[in-house]
Structures are given as C-alpha cells and as structure tokens.
Amino acid sequence: MSSYSSSARFDEARRVAIFGGTHGNEMSGVTLVNLWVKNGSEIQRKMVDTKPFITNPRAVEKCTRYVDTDLNRAFTPENLSALGEGDLPYEVQRAQEINRIFGPKGSPEAYDVIFDLHNTTSNMGCTLILESSKDYFNLQMMNYIKKAIDPASCLVLLNEHPLLKYSTSRSVAKHPVGLEVGPQPQGVLRSNIFEAMRVILKHALDFIELFNEGVEFPTCTVEVFRVLERIDYPRDANGNIIAMVHPNLQDGDWEPLNPGDPMFLTFDGKTLHYQGSGTIYPTFINEAAYYEKQQAFVTTRRETLVASAIRKA
Amino acid sequence: TSSRICERGADVAVCGGTHGNELSGVYLVRELLKAKDIVMEEEREEPASVLMVLANPRAMQQCRRYVDTDLNRCFTHATLNGPISDSAPYEMTRSRELNAMLGPKGSPGAVDLVCDLHNTTANMGLCLILSLACLFQRQMPDVPMRFIHFDVSSKESYSLDSVGKHGFAMEIGPQPHGVVRSNIYTAMKDGVQHMLDWVRLFNSGTIFEAGFVDVFTIVKNIDYPRDSETHNITATIHPQLQDRDFLLLHPDDALFQTFSGETLRYKGNEPLYPFFVNECAYYEKGIALSLARKNTVAYHNMAFKVHS
C-alpha cells in the first residue's frame, strides 16, 4: 500500500563516489578503494556510476592522518574559495580539487551520494554518520542497511550540532554518508574490520540500485545517537593530559554513562567521575586522532527520527 | 652453580618514548620524572641509581614512531662510532647522545641495566625482549609475562637496551599507537615497579636462586603477500590467527586471507609460536608476524657482593 502524495521525491542517485584515505592511516578504506580502482566489478550496480577515489594520496603514501591539515575539516567555504594555489596547505588544495570533481558543494551538479570510509581506534563497531536529520534519503538508506545486516549491528551517529559539526570531504555531495568502523589501530589492517566495511557498502549500493529502479520505500523510524558535546581529558597548565579514560569507560562506546560513573583515571590512580546532569551515551571513546583535538569522547542522546516515504522522482 | 658478583650497586635506566607514539612509556617516564622532582624537593635520601630518560623527544612531540629513521635501530657499533655528517638523520645524532648518557656501549662505564618501554598493536600481553642471556627471576607471579629472546651477538645488536651492560625491552600490547589505555599503562607501571624492586633487593645483597624459565627464541619472520609492482600488501592476517599471539601455529594452519577471500596457509615444517602478529610498525619492515620456538632455559644464582 503506497501513498504517492506523501512520498518525498528525490532525483535518481546516479553519481556515487566512495572515498578512501581521507585519513591516510585508516587502512580499511584505503585498501578497499585501491582494490576497486583496480577492479570495480564488486561496486558496479545497474544505472549507477560508482567512482572509488583516494582523497588524500600524499597522506596515504606516508601512512599518516594528514600532511599539513586534517582534510576532513577542510571543506569550509573559506577554504574552498581561497586563492593562492600552490602556497595553500596541501589538504586545502586537495579540498578545492575534490570540490571541482565531485561538487561544487551546494550546487545541482554535485555528486548525489558520497560514502567516506573511516576507521577509529574507538570500540564503535560499525557506525554510519549522518549530517542532517532531514535527509530522508540517507535515513532510508541507513534503515535499509541496518535491517540488511541484522542481527549484526550498525548504529547511526547524527552530528548536526551547530558548533561541533565540521566540514567533511563527503559534505560536497547532496547526500553525504560517513562510515566509521572500529576498533582498529591506525596503520593496521584487520580482516574483520575490513570485511564489515565491505558488507555495509554492498548493502548501501544495493539500496541505491533499488531506489533508482523505482522502488518506493515506505515511511520508517530510525534510532540515532545525536551528538551533544565533546569532553576533553583533564590537562595540566602545559596542556599535557593528566588522566586516562577510566577502565570502566574504555571500550564502552554506546553504553549509558550515568552521573557519578567513573570517567577518567589519573596517572597516580585517582578516579574522576562524570559530572553531567543526566545519562548520556558516550562514543568516540579514546580515539587516537582526537587527543590533539581536545576530545576524550563525545556525549550523545538517543533519538528516534522519522523518515517520510521516498521514491525516485 | 656459580654466582655473579658485581662491584657496586647496579644502576638502572628506564627509557620511554624511544618510539614517540608508544604512549605508555612516554607517560610513565614523565610521571616518574615528576615524582622524582617531588622527592628531590622534599630532600629525601634517594640513591641516584635510577635514570629516567625520554629517548626520542622530537618524535614524541609529533606523536610519531620516528622523525627520520627508527631510533631503536641506531645503536650498532658502526652507527654509534662511524663518521657523521651535519645532515645526518635526527635519530642518528640522538643515538650518540643517548650512548654518551647511558654508555658508552661496551665500556665499563655503561649503565648496568637498561629497561626500554614499548607498546605493540599485537595482542602480546606483557613481554620482556632480551638479546643477551640476561635473565632475572620472575618477581610477578600474578602477572602473566613472557620472555622473548633475539639471538644476536653484541656486535650486531642495534637497540637502545643494548647500550647498557644488560638490557631488555618491556613490550606491552595490544594498544593502538597514539593511544594510552589505562589497563596497559597500569600493567607497565607495575612491571617497571617490580623491576626496580628487584634491583633494590639485588643491591641489598639478596641471593636469587638458580632456576628455569620458558623463553621464546625467534626463528624467522614472515611478510605479507605483496603485489610485485606496487609492493602493496594483497592479504590480511587471517581472522583465525589475528590476536592469537603465542598460540602454537601448526603447518597448514590459516595464515593470511587475501582480499578476494582466499585462505593462505602456513607452509613451514614445524609448529612455531607466532608473535608481533599484525604490528603496525612492521608493515614497512616487511614483517606480518614473527615465529619462535619455545625453550626452557636455566639461569644461574645471582648475588651482589661488596669487595672489602
């Protein structure tokens, strides 16, 4: 039973990109994209142009997160319009290049969907990252993926926070989708993490193919974790951390953290407790790359979003 | 049975940050240095026989393994004593500074015991890595610990711990590089404390009885299968081997899984013990895992005697 009048219409998602190596030491995406650049049959779908692409080749070559500056924070309006070409930081040049190929960001010519592949040292499992609670196309895709891999789990992190939201490589597209799979150390390729990411992408591309064929996806609800705030490590006057994530919290991504629960353990053995006013769901706990971004973990709250029915225009 | 006799109390150097992104040692040595400052401020009597060293400060500042070249390969006699230019890699200059501080390697003035702190992404638990037959009695019966032996003559030894008369690396994993995990930090803190307690006991005349200990002696390394043109890896450690350090690998056991899903098997003749399975820093050294035989080794009585 479908109701044409209440279906949100979206253009056919014909141009799809898969980004790997946005951070050069997050190995699942680097490896998958290199594989698919060589032989893309696995990612081909009817009526879809799927382009695998290494976004930060210099960082990949050095197996480092970035060369000059974090590419996944670089797609700001200022950077995208900056002049100076060869004098600009490497990643700003890359951002402009990527915006030319896959954008321009915000324009009708931009790619329909970009999947950006990431790993984390946090125990987050498979996580899909959503940038807008109103993107029903993405919500429907995420709902489809979650159902397809059930009983395995894939959670959705929503980062719509006006201050904490950042300008990602995928934000060039109309429908940006972040894939974050962990735990995996930087520079390491673990087979279970690699396969998990591969399976998620398979289902995502299946969804796009079905959508392009005209399938209507009825209204659905999707549970998401909405980013609230960033919590830093306690630091001394010189900015050095003076405590570690507490063993009770370590690896506890997505588990409730209640006021009074242990949060940090100082180097000399003292426990610091969570002082918030209510229960939150922490994630990105002890991500290596976030020490320099002043983040030990982020807090989230659980929400249920509704996505309207969608169908191809 | 024979006794080892030393002429004076043994002195110890504890080194962290030899690889700048192996954070347990970085933070532990920083804390020990802070504690030492407090002790000196309070003017308590502490024998100045424990040196705390942050070995690679520039790499630590950038949270990288090394700046130009791996510091822990810069302690061969040739590297320490050969000619050096102004444009030498940072770590080569640094290794000479450390050799002056803790050595010189091979001389009577060298520190008695060097303990070099490391982390690994491999699931190895707590390991002590020795290149000489320097064993001290296990003083941590409640903590599983393994001894790994690299059989190199003192001429070929290249690591920081080879600068002292005796030395070993304390290696703890699994921990991602650039991360400090509280359980791993605590294990290393306890390990270092036990080591220092042992040295104190030794210096106060305790006789340590002879005994036996299991030691893993490295036999060979195995690299990932690689693409002949790009040299990129074409397989990952097989899920049946991942995280199974020190569990016996038999001929025909699964070793690697190619990206197309095929299983590659261990073709050796004898069962061996794998370790350093999927260590991040070893991809560039062409090592997917190391393989060892387990031997039982006898060690001598040890005691410290003052010559009157």
Side-chain angles (χ1 to χ4, degrees):
Chain A
M1 185 178 82
S2 67
S3 27
Y4 284 77
S5 54
S6 60
S7 265
R9 301 303 187 99
F10 289 89
D11 287 336
E12 179 180 71
R14 199 177 48 77
R15 293 191 308 155
V16 173
I18 303 176
F19 284 176
T22 296
H23 296 133
N25 54 10
E26 294 177 13
M27 302 305 293
S28 306
V30 172
T31 308
L32 283 170
V33 166
N34 279 336
L35 218 67
W36 291 330
V37 163
K38 230 174 141 178
N39 180 353
S41 48
E42 187 182 339
I43 56 171
Q44 291 318 311
R45 297 289 188 280
K46 283 197 306 278
M47 305 199 300
V48 187
D49 298 328
T50 319
K51 189 178 166 112
F53 187 79
I54 295 284
T55 44
N56 197 338
R58 260 215 239 161
V60 168
E61 200 194 357
K62 295 171 127 194
C63 197
T64 188
R65 182 177 176 85
Y66 56 81
V67 174
D68 293 328
T69 187
D70 193 333
L71 180 62
N72 213 29
R73 304 289 184 278
F75 287 76
T76 60
E78 301 75 40
N79 279 349
L80 293 179
S81 58
L83 301 170
E85 292 188 29
D87 295 328
L88 295 170
Y90 171 71
E91 278 85 4
V92 174
Q93 294 179 45
R94 273 312 279 173
Q96 293 184 352
E97 179 68 12
I98 289 163
N99 194 39
R100 264 191 290 277
I101 303 173
F102 298 97
K105 177 167 166 173
S107 77
E109 290 80 43
Y111 261 58
D112 298 294
V113 185
I114 295 179
F115 297 102
D116 193 18
L117 307 183
H118 288 268
N119 292 119
T120 175
T121 58
S122 305
N123 188 27
M124 287 167 73
C126 294
T127 303
L128 294 164
I129 307 185
L130 183 65
E131 299 193 0
S132 160
S133 56
K134 303 281 185 288
D135 189 336
Y136 298 138
F137 178 86
N138 273 356
L139 276 168
Q140 288 280 1
M141 181 199 297
M142 293 180 182
N143 179 58
Y144 178 89
I145 293 170
K146 282 159 77 88
K147 295 222 157 50
I149 68 168
D150 185 68
S153 109
C154 183
L155 299 178
V156 177
L157 181 68
L158 169 66
N159 193 358
E160 210 173 31
H161 191 295
L163 298 174
L164 297 181
K165 185 168 178 163
Y166 46 83
S167 306
T168 55
S169 357
R170 57 188 178 265
S171 67
V172 167
K174 295 179 183 133
H175 303 290
V177 180
L179 253 87
E180 188 84 52
V181 185
Q184 179 171 269
Q186 297 168 343
V188 163
L189 188 66
R190 288 180 67 99
S191 53
N192 59 330
I193 302 288
F194 175 80
E195 287 302 320
M197 190 178 274
R198 200 174 194 171
V199 164
I200 298 207
L201 269 163
K202 171 200 143 30
H203 292 303
L205 293 172
D206 289 347
F207 168 86
I208 293 175
E209 184 177 44
L210 289 169
F211 175 82
N212 287 351
E213 282 173 352
V215 170
E216 184 188 15
F217 292 87
T219 186
C220 69
T221 59
V222 183
E223 183 183 66
V224 306
F225 290 82
R226 180 189 286 274
V227 170
L228 294 175
E229 63 173 336
R230 161 204 307 163
I231 306 279
D232 192 13
Y233 293 95
R235 292 173 190 270
D236 64 19
N238 297 321
N240 294 318
I241 70 170
I242 55 173
M244 312 167 276
V245 171
H246 194 278
N248 285 20
L249 177 58
Q250 178 68 54
D251 300 334
D253 300 69
W254 313 116
E255 307 281 312
L257 184 69
N258 306 301
D261 283 352
M263 186 172 56
F264 295 113
L265 182 68
T266 66
F267 291 117
D268 47 13
K270 208 176 83 187
T271 295
L272 306 173
H273 302 268
Y274 177 57
Q275 302 292 339
S277 51
T279 297
I280 51 89
Y281 295 82
T283 192
F284 272 121
I285 299 173
N286 208 350
E287 159 55 49
Y290 289 172
Y291 283 56
E292 73 174 16
K293 297 198 201 295
Q294 282 87 51
Q295 184 176 307
F297 62 97
V298 292
T299 63
T300 72
R301 72 159 179 263
R302 288 167 80 154
E303 257 179 54
T304 304
L305 297 183
V306 178
S308 73
I310 67 166
R311 130 186 207 124
K312 182 175 77 164
Chain B
T1 54
S2 60
S3 300
R4 288 260 170 89
I5 298 167
C6 302
E7 293 205 332
R8 53 177 173 77
D11 57 350
V12 185
V14 178
C15 304
T18 300
H19 296 134
N21 56 6
E22 295 177 14
L23 294 191
S24 304
V26 169
Y27 283 101
L28 182 58
V29 169
R30 276 212 193 122
E31 289 299 305
L32 291 174
L33 284 166
K34 266 194 224 168
K36 210 172 181 208
D37 286 343
I38 293 169
V39 164
M40 299 209 331
E41 276 166 24
E42 295 175 1
E43 291 174 25
R44 262 194 263 137
E45 288 260 355
E46 270 288 332
S49 60
V50 183
L51 259 168
M52 251 75 80
V53 183
L54 289 169
N56 196 339
R58 258 207 234 168
M60 274 169 48
Q61 201 199 12
Q62 300 178 35
C63 198
R64 297 168 56 172
R65 181 176 178 84
Y66 56 80
V67 174
D68 294 325
T69 189
D70 192 335
L71 177 62
N72 212 28
R73 302 292 182 276
C74 286
F75 293 90
T76 59
H77 281 291
T79 311
L80 292 174
N81 301 305
I84 185 166
S85 74
D86 285 339
S87 57
Y90 165 72
E91 278 85 6
M92 270 190 67
T93 313
R94 185 64 186 148
S95 69
R96 286 159 184 244
E97 284 170 18
L98 290 163
N99 190 41
M101 201 191 301
L102 305 177
K105 175 168 170 170
S107 78
V111 149
D112 289 303
L113 184 63
V114 172
C115 171
D116 190 22
L117 306 178
H118 287 268
N119 291 118
T120 173
T121 58
N123 188 25
M124 287 167 67
L126 166 54
C127 291
L128 304 186
I129 305 181
L130 319 146
S131 56
L132 305 171
C134 159
L135 296 171
F136 60 90
Q137 188 172 0
R138 289 163 65 151
Q139 290 291 300
M140 289 168 65
D142 49 332
V143 176
M145 180 192 332
R146 295 185 183 95
F147 292 91
I148 299 174
H149 179 236
F150 280 76
D151 196 5
V152 291
S153 72
S154 66
K155 230 186 251 177
E156 293 167 326
S157 59
Y158 49 67
S159 54
L160 171 54
D161 56 83
S162 70
V163 171
K165 296 203 184 78
H166 306 282
F168 65 96
M170 183 179 291
E171 185 90 54
I172 311 191
Q175 179 171 272
H177 298 315
V179 161
V180 63
R181 287 181 68 99
S182 49
N183 60 328
I184 302 287
Y185 178 86
T186 303
M188 188 176 273
K189 184 175 174 178
D190 290 347
V192 169
Q193 192 54 56
H194 281 285
M195 190 260 313
L196 293 174
D197 289 345
W198 184 90
V199 172
R200 247 170 247 129
L201 285 172
F202 175 82
N203 286 346
S204 64
T206 305
I207 297 170
F208 295 98
E209 300 294 317
F212 296 92
V213 70
D214 280 342
V215 169
F216 293 89
T217 302
I218 185 169
V219 170
K220 61 182 171 185
N221 298 319
I222 299 186
D223 193 8
Y224 291 96
R226 290 176 187 270
D227 180 283
S228 49
E229 278 173 40
T230 63
H231 205 59
N232 290 331
I233 67 173
T234 56
T236 58
I237 295 286
H238 197 278
Q240 282 166 27
L241 175 58
Q242 179 68 57
D243 300 334
R244 307 278 253 254
D245 300 70
F246 299 110
L247 296 173
L248 206 50
L249 184 73
H250 299 92
D252 232 42
D253 279 353
L255 198 55
F256 298 113
Q257 183 173 74
T258 69
F259 300 141
S260 50
E262 190 197 332
T263 296
L264 305 176
R265 298 185 177 278
Y266 170 52
K267 290 298 168 209
N269 291 324
E270 64 173 301
L272 291 173
Y273 292 88
F275 64 98
F276 278 128
V277 176
N278 208 348
E279 160 54 49
C280 168
Y282 288 176
Y283 282 60
E284 73 174 13
K285 297 195 202 290
I287 299 171
L289 65 149
S290 298
L291 289 169
R293 267 182 214 113
K294 188 160 70 162
N295 300 309
T296 305
V297 174
Y299 57 89
H300 304 292
N301 277 8
M302 275 193 77
F304 161 54
K305 258 197 190 149
V306 177
H307 286 250
S308 49

